[in-house]
């Protein structure tokens, strides 16, 4: 085997894991996928992973497609792409199957690295930020949803050979970089993710809903990112998302300094009107970018409407709420969003844009947005 062709085991062959498995295998890397869904695994074993792009379906064989109970060999380089609420079980399973020199890269949404490290050790846990738009549309078939970004890094901040190799290999998919601040990306994505989560309360395109409900979107991002700043996180921009644009402007609040710096760098003044204008400009760019994506609805919406299953959102934001409590940061719009989402999960027929209007009203009352 060519030394540049490294072996990968991808645990969780859904939207993220399946897409990256397709591209890594296409680039010549030996790829094994592991997934609990028997129909998905059977389809991949038979026909390879099929990527749907621009109406065409392109199959890509992998070395093996296995259910967890079929794995017998020790695992070396593992990309973990299960839903966040499945991390506990997956990490416990990996602790029994990981080779002594193996390691796990969390290609998941949310903050999962600490939990993984509890099972396999911090030295064998690698962090990663993934902004990838895709959907599983049939067993073995993944619809590509548009370009995004990946950043990989050691949780210690070191730029190790293994993360440099990993980033180089993931460039078979798209833009992948090494970062010394993976936590900054993960927390920034939680701010962006809160905005996208709100769009799952209604049945319409993400960009259009965010455009119409800016008060809710701005408040949600601001609350999450304020908590991140209080935790000492230096936030990282990605794709079209500029986290500093959504930070509080009032002196003394967590994140106010980041907003002041952002206003100065962007050519805005320091007044309340300037803050509002800066946020709107940032949201204009974000909405325009979302409208270029072929995937118009979030994976959260798809979980509720198409797959009829619980979302991973409560797991994503549990650490945010815990940190908000530690720092005594008020997050009323985020709490209202989680309550609304639980209601929609329980009864998808109640999905309605009026729910976003309710969040707008809370945001306006709390922050005069």
């Amino acid at each position: 085997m060519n030394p540049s062709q490294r072996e990968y085991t991808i645990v969780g062959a859904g939207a993220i894991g399946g897409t990256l498995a397709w591209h890594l295998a296409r680039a010549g890397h030996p790829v094994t996928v592991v997934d609990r869904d028997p129909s998905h695994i059977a389809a991949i074993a038979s026909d390879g992973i099929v990527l749907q792009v621009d109406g065409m379906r392109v199959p890509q064989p992998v070395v093996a497609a296995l259910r967890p109970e079929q794995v017998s060999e020790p695992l070396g380089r593992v990309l973990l792409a299960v839903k966040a609420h499945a991390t506990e079980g997956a990490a416990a399973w990996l602790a029994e199957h990981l080779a002594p020199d193996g390691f796990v890269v969390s290609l998941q949404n949310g903050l999962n690295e600490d939990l993984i490290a509890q099972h396999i050790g911090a030295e064998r846990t690698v962090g990663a930020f993934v902004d990838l738009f895709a959907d599983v549309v049939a067993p073995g078939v993944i619809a590509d949803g548009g370009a995004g970004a990946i950043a990989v890094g050691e949780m210690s901040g070191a730029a190790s050979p293994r993360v440099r190799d990993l980033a180089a290999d993931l460039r078979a998919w798209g833009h992948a970089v090494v970062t010394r601040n993976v936590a900054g990306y993960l927390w920034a994505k939680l701010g962006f993710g809160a905005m996208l989560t709100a769009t799952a309360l209604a049945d319409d395109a993400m960009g259009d809903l965010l455009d119409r409900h800016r008060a809710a979107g701005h408040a949600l991002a601001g609350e999450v990112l304020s908590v991140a700043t209080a935790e000492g996180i230096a936030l990282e921009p990605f794709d079209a998302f500029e986290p500093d644009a959504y930070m509080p402007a009032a002196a003394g609040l967590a994140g106010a300094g980041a907003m002041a710096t952002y206003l100065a760098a962007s050519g805005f003044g320091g007044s309340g009107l300037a803050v509002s204008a800066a946020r709107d400009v940032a949201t204009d760019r974000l909405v325009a970018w979302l409208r270029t994506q072929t995937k118009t609805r979030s994976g959260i919406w798809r979980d509720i409407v198409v797959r009829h299953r619980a979302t991973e959102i409560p797991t994503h934001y549990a650490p945010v709420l815990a940190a908000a409590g530690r720092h005594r940061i008020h997050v009323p719009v985020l709490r209202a969003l989680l309550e609304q989402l639980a209601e929609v999960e329980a009864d998808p027929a109640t999905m309605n844009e009026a729910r976003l209007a309710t969040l707008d009203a809370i945001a306006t009352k709390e922050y005069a947005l």
Side-chain angles (χ1 to χ4, degrees), residues 9-265:
T9 299
I10 297 182
V11 178
I16 293 174
T19 299
L20 296 178
W22 189 95
H23 285 279
L24 287 168
R26 197 74 164 183
H29 300 284
V31 172
T32 295
V33 298
V34 180
D35 198 281
R36 293 186 305 175
D37 185 336
S39 62
H40 193 50
I41 284 298
I44 295 172
S46 173
D47 303 319
I49 298 173
V50 178
L51 194 67
Q52 182 174 293
V53 184
D54 297 329
M56 298 179 60
R57 291 191 172 191
V58 184
Q60 174 58 50
V62 294
V63 170
L66 307 172
R67 297 189 304 276
E69 63 272 18
Q70 295 176 309
V71 173
S72 58
E73 297 296 324
L75 305 179
R77 190 177 288 101
V78 176
L79 306 184
L80 181 62
V82 301
K83 293 288 188 181
H85 50 275
T87 303
E88 177 78 54
W93 179 84
L94 283 165
E96 298 178 356
H97 291 82
L98 199 62
D101 60 348
F103 62 92
V104 175
V105 185
S106 173
L107 292 171
Q108 303 167 268
N109 294 317
L111 306 171
N112 305 290
E113 287 77 8
D114 286 347
L115 179 56
I116 296 167
Q118 289 173 24
H119 287 274
I120 66 169
E123 73 284 355
R124 298 203 290 174
T125 303
V126 177
F129 151 85
V130 183
D131 190 32
L132 186 157
F133 288 74
D135 279 318
V136 176
V137 295
V141 182
I142 298 168
D144 180 77
I150 295 178
V152 294
E154 301 286 356
M155 299 310 294
S156 65
S160 66
R162 68 183 179 184
V163 298
R164 288 195 293 268
D165 288 345
L166 179 61
D169 293 346
L170 289 173
R171 289 181 194 124
W173 167 74
H175 185 63
V177 300
V178 173
T179 179
R180 293 181 180 272
N181 181 28
V182 70
Y185 282 100
L186 294 175
W187 274 91
K189 189 177 182 183
L190 283 170
F192 175 51
M195 300 170 95
L196 295 191
T197 298
T199 70
L201 299 176
D203 186 9
D204 202 351
M206 293 181 287
D208 294 344
L209 288 168
L210 179 56
D211 195 13
R212 294 199 294 269
H213 298 279
R214 295 184 178 219
H218 294 176
L220 285 165
E223 288 178 358
V224 173
L225 300 177
S226 294
V227 174
T229 301
E231 286 282 281
I233 303 297
L235 296 162
E236 297 281 357
F238 61 89
D239 291 328
F241 183 65
E242 302 168 82
D244 289 351
Y246 300 100
M247 300 302 290
L253 295 180
M259 169 55 84
T261 301
Y262 178 83
L263 290 173

